Amino acid sequence: MSITQFRTETRAWLEANCPKSMQKPVKKFTDLYWGGSKPYFDSEDQKIWFERMYERGWTVPHWPKVYGGGGLNKEEAKVLKQEMKALNCRPPLYSFGISMLGPALLHFGSEDQKLQYLPDITAGKIWWCQGYSEPGAGSDLAGLQTRAEDKGDHYLINGQKVWTSYADKADWIFCLVRTNTEGRKHAGISFLLIDMHTPGVSTRPIKLISGASPFCETFFDNVKVPKTNIVGEENGGWAIAKYLLTHEREMIAGIGEPAEVPLHQNAIDTIGLSNGMLADTILRPEIARWSMNNEIFKMTIARMLDEAKQGQSLGAKSSFLKYYGTELNKEKLELKLAATGQTGLVWEGEAYDDGHLPKYFCRTKGNSIEGGTSEIQLNIVSKHILRLPS
Amino acid sequence: MSITQFRTETRAWLEANCPKSMQKPVKKFTDLYWGGSKPYFDSEDQKIWFERMYERGWTVPHWPKVYGGGGLNKEEAKVLKQEMKALNCRPPLYSFGISMLGPALLHFGSEDQKLQYLPDITAGKIWWCQGYSEPGAGSDLAGLQTRAEDKGDHYLINGQKVWTSYADKADWIFCLVRTNTEGRKHAGISFLLIDMHTPGVSTRPIKLISGASPFCETFFDNVKVPKTNIVGEENGGWAIAKYLLTHEREMIAGIGEPAEVPLHQNAIDTIGLSNGMLADTILRPEIARWSMNNEIFKMTIARMLDEAKQGQSLGAKSSFLKYYGTELNKEKLELKLAATGQTGLVWEGEAYDDGHLPKYFCRTKGNSIEGGTSEIQLNIVSKHILRLPS
Amino acid sequence: MALVLTEEQQMLKDSAKEYLKEHAPVAALRKLRDERDEKGYNPSVWKAMADMGWASLTIPEAYGGLDFGYTGLGQILEETGRTLTASPLVSTVLLSTTLLNKAASDAQKEALLPAIAAGELLVAFASEESGVHRPLHITTSYTKAGDTYLLNGKKQFVLDGHVADKFIVSAKNEEDAISLFLVDADATGVAIERLTMMDSRNAAHVSLKNVHTNELLGVAGEGAALIETSLDIARVGLAAEMLGTTQEAFERTMSYIRERKQFGVPIGSFQALQHRAATMYGEIENCKSIVLAALQAIDADSEHLPRLASLAKAKLGETAQLVTNEAVQFYGGIGMTDDEEIGFFLKRARVAQQTFGDYNYHLDRYAKMNGY
Amino acid sequence: MALVLTEEQQMLKDSAKEYLKEHAPVAALRKLRDERDEKGYNPSVWKAMADMGWASLTIPEAYGGLDFGYTGLGQILEETGRTLTASPLVSTVLLSTTLLNKAASDAQKEALLPAIAAGELLVAFASEESGVHRPLHITTSYTKAGDTYLLNGKKQFVLDGHVADKFIVSAKNEEDAISLFLVDADATGVAIERLTMMDSRNAAHVSLKNVHTNELLGVAGEGAALIETSLDIARVGLAAEMLGTTQEAFERTMSYIRERKQFGVPIGSFQALQHRAATMYGEIENCKSIVLAALQAIDADSEHLPRLASLAKAKLGETAQLVTNEAVQFYGGIGMTDDEEIGFFLKRARVAQQTFGDYNYHLDRYAKMNGY
């Protein structure tokens, strides 16, 4: 099938099959279907939309069919994405299994592991969470302390993770654990999959300044894990972690609501025009400055991806993308607050969209911390791209 | 005499004695009288003004009369300064002897040294220059290499200084030299006075990006200096250097032409108003932002000096003043260029004030380098005020 | 005047610091928030504050006050800024008492000021009509009906609106002349909607529907100048509070980075953080200067007050934003949690920035005052 | 279109880099400056550049050109930006040739384009009338006098004004309609005043007093749109040159701080400098993106060109200023000396920033284009 034909058919199918209520911007947690062993559908439409897409393998369209994916090539996957965006279709299934673990398994997993885990991810049967950070470690990821002791046929896990997304809802966790306490700290880390239902695993939600609790602390108290649950080599987990961090950075850099209202339109709506110019002459250049930087940054993402296609690896450039994208996002919310005045600071109440704006504002402050702080990204750029001495 | 009476009499005397041509802003080097063994007066008025002020001891009004000063107390000296500013009177004599060496001698010199050097400074007989920096040392002042070898009754000096102001015109230099090569590098430094006419001293002017050459390289090739020319203790020069650096920082923070046209007036003159607001709506908030910071910073200088009077030593705060004052000055010139467009970039020609603006712009770039870079000042603040660990 | 505190002012400040640390720390605000406290402030703490004279500082002795001046009040505000203490200090003392001092008749003063001084009466200023600060752009109207006035309109973001006993309401007549009126909170036609703000402080919308009052405040039609002057004083006072908030956030952050280790060393030893910290230090020094200069200008009845007020409110808005943002970033993940108190400073800063005009508002005003 | 160069474009760029490094390095500009060179550029280098086809890149094959496109010309400009090469590339090739391509009659093209391609004719665009970029705010006038036109006015800051053989002059009639005219530099009534600019490049004031010409360029009265489009192309080309200048200044600075030691370690190891360097790196990456996107938009005849041109000129103006300022600061004292070349980059950046509109001009234009 030609790509033009694919586009036409895809558009027709989406128009016929995506329920109207699934063609609205995602605003809150339950607007997405997250899957898991105790699946929760917010509406019948959400269920229908998931099932129809899953049937075609389009929960993860670019994975091979044998793993439950859609088997689309890059070009087709891009077209599907474009057409979904054009209709404002919500993703039918959202999970860290798709965005994080899947890519790692495809790259580093054994064939057995791929067949065991990937189809359940595409089917949304398992809710995965990520266990990297530890209390007191912060940016020093390689300093992690969670121990995995070799007990012959299994590991015995003891330790604590923090910033595990929705660990209180998750079925499984993919984790970095220390399998060797000697030598260089990077060299003793393994990448391990742990069933959250195993005895000894417990979680506690962390309340954020936004008021939401998307993260947990997760505790491991003598948790037994089969040795086959390791991905890659024992003590070879750092390479996987780095691969996923790069991957995550790129994702975070792309932050931003789909088909979003441009910032200047937002400001025009709130403040109004005067002689064809934003009535607030002081805010106007600030809005324009941000918009210019934002528009150019999107070109940089496109250019770097184009270069990557030509074989120049993205590598440490992803650190710049993560840094700049998150700083832009924080700045955008500052400008939104500036444009709305006190109205944008009301924390509750239906008339105030349940405080979506100030809560999201608070949430964005974490953008430059999670997935490696801005400072860490700048360190990486100066060391690996600019080759400045340490 | 009451302070009010002093003010009245001073004003009357200044009005009667300061030639009209000496009541104009200082724009170029020769607008000031620098003194020295080969004195140069740019005009008869300049000479008259110097002589009349010297006669009263008002070339350095706050020094004791025994050293050729005016013997004014702090309050009187302040009143004189205010009245001179009100009439736009130029300083009758300008020299590093007054601003730098004098304070050091008053604080650290022996009585003999004070009597030997200070009267010549007030009389403008000796042109002094400063020899601190060395090539390759930059911000690492304590790493200086110029050697003063102990030869019994004299030192033998070998080495090189850089950024010596007008060394090609100077009669004497006050210098930091190394009298001890062992132990902590700060502990082997002495403060030495050297006659520039001694055999073995030579200079070479350095041309700056502004086109001017206010600085030189100065070379010492087996220069003999009497041991009595040391100020303070042998190996005790670091304390004097630090004292003078703090002093210098405070001076540099106060940079800015006296009775200057406010920046916004400048912009109004160039760009014009529209509906009572600066016609360039983008530049307007930038001008206002700078002006606000400038106005507030002047209050900070005043407050810190008021606190200092109450016994809280200025200390490391002078680093902040130096940093902020020089950054403000650089920013001001950037804004001036922005307001004048290409006209402000013409480098020569009478119609363009001989390129005063772009040349001064270039010159300001050195403000945050000389007298300790901005980075060094920030280091000092974080270490000595914020007590951040190293 | 020297830019330093007098001994008395310094003593007042020290005693306030001690009291607030003990009786109204950040934890107290958290408690009010988590318990969804009906009043949103602690009346017994407020009574104690009044007993210490904090509500009387700017009230003349004739009306039971201390007549101590705004520089003194500024020190109290600065300390409440450090502890994020929720109290009627800004609404009743800083803003409404100033309006009453300037405009009230002797009888009105007699009736209100002693009660305020005693901490027994809360008065809120109902002025704004949108989320963006435009104090003189109002549509609330008054008409004379016999001996009384009839008020209609909707006021927004009234500080302490839902706990106030009385309101000072700004309204205009058909000729667009603005007057001020005193209105009882329980008067017929007054409806109050409490708001939950990001900083957990009190604010409310107050609507007036055919509300009768016979209490004009000051001369009819001359409200605009009165509002501007009183707001300038309030801007300076709020800037003083923000100075406390900013300093406290900064000092906590410095303590944190001196101790907190990453890669085996304190993160405060990283030069990039040090330079950002040193830059913040400098801006805070500038904040101290302008706040003190502006407070002194109030007490000296200086003609420069409007300019200094805009400088103070703008600079503090800018610096509070910088410092609280950097504080969360320096704390890292822990700074994003509600358990850690630093986030409360970020939230308070944002609301205080918008109250009485933000950076851009005052930058614009400053430029206009300087003729460009 | 992918945001990458084609193989041919990359080859052109590489060869330009090699030639310029050898034959027109920064030292060549210094020499022209110090010798107060009469022409202000090196004619033999220019001839060689033309021989390599650089003057022909945007000229159609029918008129002796290569028709290679602006993305290619941008690569040349970028390389001349690195070496700060003074040449008629911007005035004659980037700006005037564009105007001629768009507006000239076949006869005019026949007469001028092959000569330009051969490096034998310099044409300058006399447009601005003040130091601040306002291309359509002109007072230079034309009136028709029989078969010819009579021009009067004063043009300022004409690039290569004192070495040009011909001028393209913008002028308006009594109805304020703008037209373009070709004028010989030696025509009666033309007076040229050479200027010494901060960057040591060529600019001149050109006054026209009753100058006769019968060479109208394009359709009478339709000059405004023509000027805007051609200027947009010139803005992008100049942005490409500034990209070279900015990159070169940055790379030199990075080399310097990798080597230069203070306190016994390379200053490039100080984290505060590292973070500032990393921030600059990012902005330069953004510069690369917008310059390439805008160059491709010229070649694709895109309707988005005006917006992209403003984005490019603004972003490069901003980044060139940031990077050249930081370069001097990172170099320290040595950066302040005329012996060191880094100051030349600062000076060129400031002039290039103002040429064809600075950051603020294009920010304003960008906002207007987006309807606010």
Side-chain angles (χ1 to χ4, degrees), chain B residues 162-176:
Chain B
V162 73
W163 305 119
T164 42
S165 301
Y166 301 112
D168 51 340
K169 301 186 171 62
D171 301 303
W172 280 71
I173 185 168
F174 52 98
C175 249
L176 293 177

Side-chain angles (χ1 to χ4, degrees), chain A residues 367-385:
Chain A
N367 295 162
S368 52
I369 298 169
E370 61 207 327
T373 63
S374 282
E375 290 75 18
I376 291 287
Q377 309 308 335
L378 293 174
N379 286 346
I380 292 173
V381 168
S382 66
K383 188 169 167 190
H384 294 290
I385 297 180

Side-chain angles (χ1 to χ4, degrees), chain A residues 236-247:
Chain A
W238 187 247
I240 308 177
K242 266 183 32 185
Y243 173 82
L244 277 184
L245 279 176
T246 304
H247 190 76

Side-chain angles (χ1 to χ4, degrees), chain A residues 1-3 6 58 60-65 69-81:
Chain A
M1 180 162 38
S2 83
I3 193 71
F6 177 78
W58 284 7
V60 195
H62 60 289
W63 286 4
K65 286 193 173 172
L72 300 191
N73 63 33
K74 274 192 180 178
E75 211 174 356
E76 289 165 342
K78 194 171 160 189
V79 165
L80 172 58
K81 208 170 166 184

Side-chain angles (χ1 to χ4, degrees), chain B residues 29 33-42 124-127 167-171 196-197:
Chain B
F29 183 75
Y33 174 53
W34 290 72
S37 59
K38 293 170 193 154
Y40 169 79
F41 290 103
D42 198 44
K125 287 188 185 162
I126 304 290
W127 186 315
D168 51 340
K169 301 186 171 62
D171 301 303
M196 296 285 279
H197 307 290

Side-chain angles (χ1 to χ4, degrees), chain B residues 134-141 163 185 206-211 270 280-283 286 327 330 334 337-348 351-352 358-359 361-369 373-376 378-379, chain D residues 33-34 36 128 130-132 156-157 159 193 195-199 205 260-264 273 276 321 325-326 328-340 343-344 346-347 350-351 353-356 358-361 363-364:
Chain B
E134 297 190 0
S139 293
D140 184 13
L141 185 56
W163 305 119
K185 58 186 183 178
I206 301 167
K207 188 176 169 193
L208 294 188
I209 57 174
S210 64
T270 326
D280 183 335
T281 59
I282 317 290
L283 195 58
E286 293 180 26
E327 294 296 334
K330 289 198 301 181
E334 291 284 359
L337 284 199
T340 51
Q342 302 213 59
T343 310
L345 300 169
V346 183
W347 196 251
E348 290 177 3
Y352 296 90
K359 286 173 184 170
F361 164 81
C362 284
R363 180 63 188 87
T364 62
K365 295 302 173 197
N367 294 163
S368 52
I369 298 169
T373 63
S374 282
E375 290 75 19
I376 292 287
L378 293 175
N379 285 346
Chain D
R33 180 197 72 174
D34 290 350
R36 296 182 159 270
E128 308 276 0
S130 80
V132 176
Q156 294 204 356
F157 300 101
L159 297 181
E193 177 200 354
L195 298 167
T196 307
M197 300 298 289
M198 178 151 90
D199 64 347
H205 293 341
R260 164 82 169 155
K261 287 189 178 183
Q262 294 268 277
F263 307 103
L273 296 195
R276 282 152 68 184
Q321 176 171 332
N325 273 345
E326 287 284 62
V328 171
Q329 182 68 22
F330 281 28
Y331 268 83
I334 204 83
M336 285 297 294
T337 67
D338 186 67
D339 274 355
E340 166 54 52
F344 283 73
L346 177 83
K347 292 172 178 175
R350 282 314 177 290
V351 178
Q353 280 170 257
Q354 290 297 334
T355 307
F356 311 146
D358 67 355
Y359 183 87
N360 287 354
Y361 177 91
L363 175 117
D364 185 58

Side-chain angles (χ1 to χ4, degrees), chain C residues 71-93:
Chain C
T71 308
L73 178 57
Q75 306 318 306
I76 303 285
L77 285 161
E78 184 180 327
E79 293 304 324
T80 60
R82 281 185 178 271
T83 46
L84 303 181
T85 303
S87 86
L89 209 53
V90 170
S91 62
T92 296
V93 180

Side-chain angles (χ1 to χ4, degrees), chain D residues 6-33:
Chain D
T6 64
E7 214 170 303
E8 292 77 20
Q9 289 161 349
Q10 187 62 50
M11 278 172 58
L12 178 68
K13 178 175 191 163
D14 293 343
S15 73
K17 186 190 289 286
E18 206 172 321
Y19 175 82
L20 292 163
K21 201 173 163 183
E22 180 82 17
H23 297 94
V26 180
L29 176 66
R30 179 196 293 278
K31 193 156 173 283
L32 292 167
R33 180 197 72 174

